[in-house]
Amino acid sequence: MKKNVLAAIIAAAAMASAFAGCNPDETKPAPTEAATEKTESAATETAENTAEAVTPTEESKYAVLDFNECAEEVLRLKPYVGTSLSEDADGNTVLYTNYQEGVNHNYGPSWFTVDGKDIYVNTDRKIQKYDENGFAYRVESANCLGNCACFANGNICTISGITDAQTGETSVSFDYSDYLEADCAIYSSNDKISFIHDEYNEEGDINYYCSDNSQWIVGDTICSRKYDADTKVCTIVFPNGGECIMPDGYNRLVGIDNEGNYYFQLNEPYENTQTNDEEWRASLVKVDSNGNFVSYVMMPFNISDEIVDMDCHFCILSDGTVYISAAMNDAYVIWKINM
């Protein structure tokens, strides 16, 4: 996934189009004719009721959320750069893996997940749990591969298996070889675990996968993507015929909640008015099942320079609560966002 993102950033460096910033006093360009600019009230509503104030009809305006107002930092850990953690490493430390000595490019934890309250972080083939009091415990686990995870019924589910969150023991193993290097997401919606394989801006159907013994079986199409490389227009088509044109950048589906809302990660060009430089920033777009934009939030950091592995990770809970992690240069941080 990291290679795909890096390639996407290099390929798009020449793009002239860029969004305005996430300042609530600025107007966000409209991603579609139907979903134009944010409402005036979106700048003053709290994170808890902003999304409710938006009625996602064809003529509605969507809520552009200010990250500094709607995001709550819930975990901050210190990084250790190397090839493995020491046996006596404290629970507030995570590994930033350096695969090649002398090369200044590292990789932070490949996934985290949340059970609605407690947080589980994968680092150095170990699962570290954090509750309201901080670090709780660390367990060894063979089920730490891949770049996504979700929590369900006391278990951590990844593309490689289902693991007991307390013991680290894996009860079910999946054949994951086809998806290990792919952009993937696992989410729990309506008591069903679904796995999404979606590359950035890849054309065609996006299907969910369900588990059948040790195999991931392709299920129904949950939406489709049409991308015009010449015009850079990317259209998402939903099963009921609804459509939305995604903002400029590179998007992929990262989750669906119990209400049928879709969440797309977006890596997009951003013009920093303070430095006059173009940056690449990660955003999250919430779209309803009819293709109407509900809300949008941009992360306030440059993914090319401020994140060691040049990408964020998202965990979408079934109630629509969003968690995002970023392996920043000086800390591994997880935020909670209400969209």
Side-chain angles (χ1 to χ4, degrees):
M1 178 170 119
K2 314 295 188 302
K3 296 179 181 178
N4 292 338
V5 175
L6 180 60
I9 292 174
I10 294 174
M15 290 176 60
S17 60
F19 261 156
C22 59
N23 189 321
D25 294 325
E26 295 178 356
T27 301
K28 187 72 180 177
T32 65
E33 292 181 1
T36 55
E37 59 188 3
K38 67 172 184 176
T39 60
E40 182 178 353
S41 62
T44 56
E45 292 282 356
T46 62
E48 288 74 18
N49 60 24
T50 297
E52 294 179 0
V54 177
T55 303
T57 63
E58 287 189 353
E59 299 301 324
S60 71
K61 301 176 182 181
Y62 65 97
V64 177
L65 307 177
D66 187 328
F67 182 87
N68 294 319
E69 294 180 0
C70 70
E72 172 193 358
E73 182 179 314
V74 293
L75 187 64
R76 176 177 289 262
L77 304 175
K78 58 186 178 182
Y80 170 79
V81 178
T83 56
S84 64
L85 287 176
S86 64
E87 292 295 329
D88 59 351
D90 65 55
N92 294 316
T93 302
V94 291
L95 179 67
Y96 279 15
T97 306
N98 191 318
Y99 289 107
Q100 187 174 352
E101 186 176 355
V103 176
N104 187 26
H105 185 72
N106 310 311
Y107 295 91
S110 58
W111 57 254
F112 77 100
T113 189
V114 182
D115 65 5
K117 181 180 64 174
D118 300 331
I119 301 172
Y120 302 82
V121 177
N122 163 37
T123 182
D124 196 22
R125 299 185 68 83
K126 301 175 181 67
I127 298 173
Q128 298 184 167
K129 177 182 175 179
Y130 300 86
D131 58 23
E132 59 184 5
N133 297 314
F135 176 69
Y137 61 76
R138 174 192 291 132
V139 293
E140 298 274 352
S141 177
N143 185 21
C144 286
L145 298 174
N147 55 23
C148 58
C150 76
F151 193 95
N153 302 319
N155 295 313
I156 296 174
C157 306
T158 73
I159 60 170
S160 61
I162 299 176
T163 295
D164 187 289
Q166 290 188 333
T167 66
E169 296 180 359
T170 299
S171 58
V172 178
S173 296
F174 298 128
D175 179 4
Y176 57 86
S177 56
D178 292 339
Y179 315 109
L180 184 58
E181 298 298 326
D183 293 322
C184 303
I186 290 181
Y187 64 97
S188 175
S189 178
N190 295 315
D191 298 323
K192 180 178 68 175
I193 302 299
S194 297
F195 158 55
I196 303 170
H197 173 207
D198 184 27
E199 302 287 351
Y200 285 97
N201 278 27
E202 186 174 52
E203 286 193 279
D205 293 340
I206 303 173
N207 300 311
Y208 75 81
Y209 291 69
C210 55
S211 60
D212 181 13
N213 295 322
S214 62
Q215 300 291 324
W216 285 109
I217 306 300
V218 179
D220 295 334
T221 298
I222 49 182
C223 62
S224 300
R225 180 184 291 108
K226 297 185 295 183
Y227 180 70
D228 189 320
D230 294 328
T231 63
K232 308 299 183 184
V233 172
C234 182
T235 305
I236 305 297
V237 182
F238 298 93
N240 61 6
E243 295 186 357
C244 70
I245 297 177
M246 297 297 290
D248 291 338
Y250 293 82
N251 68 81
R252 70 184 186 97
L253 181 64
V254 294
I256 302 174
D257 65 26
N258 281 352
E259 300 299 321
N261 295 301
Y262 294 69
Y263 297 79
F264 290 88
Q265 177 185 356
L266 178 69
N267 287 343
E268 62 175 308
Y270 169 80
E271 184 179 358
N272 190 323
T273 57
Q274 295 182 342
T275 64
N276 293 322
D277 294 330
E278 183 180 82
E279 301 178 354
W280 282 87
R281 293 194 176 185
S283 303
L284 193 67
V285 182
K286 180 178 180 179
V287 184
D288 72 12
S289 58
N290 293 315
N292 300 307
F293 285 76
V294 178
S295 55
Y296 163 101
V297 62
M298 176 185 281
M299 316 308 154
F301 37 75
N302 186 343
I303 60 177
S304 300
D305 296 333
E306 298 180 63
I307 303 180
V308 299
D309 47 13
M310 294 184 293
D311 209 355
C312 301
H313 294 276
F314 292 88
C315 179
I316 313 298
L317 302 191
S318 59
D319 64 359
T321 303
V322 174
Y323 289 84
I324 172 180
S325 72
M328 310 289 287
N329 293 325
D330 59 349
Y332 177 75
V333 188
I334 297 177
W335 296 268
K336 177 182 178 181
I337 304 174
N338 191 322
M339 296 188 68

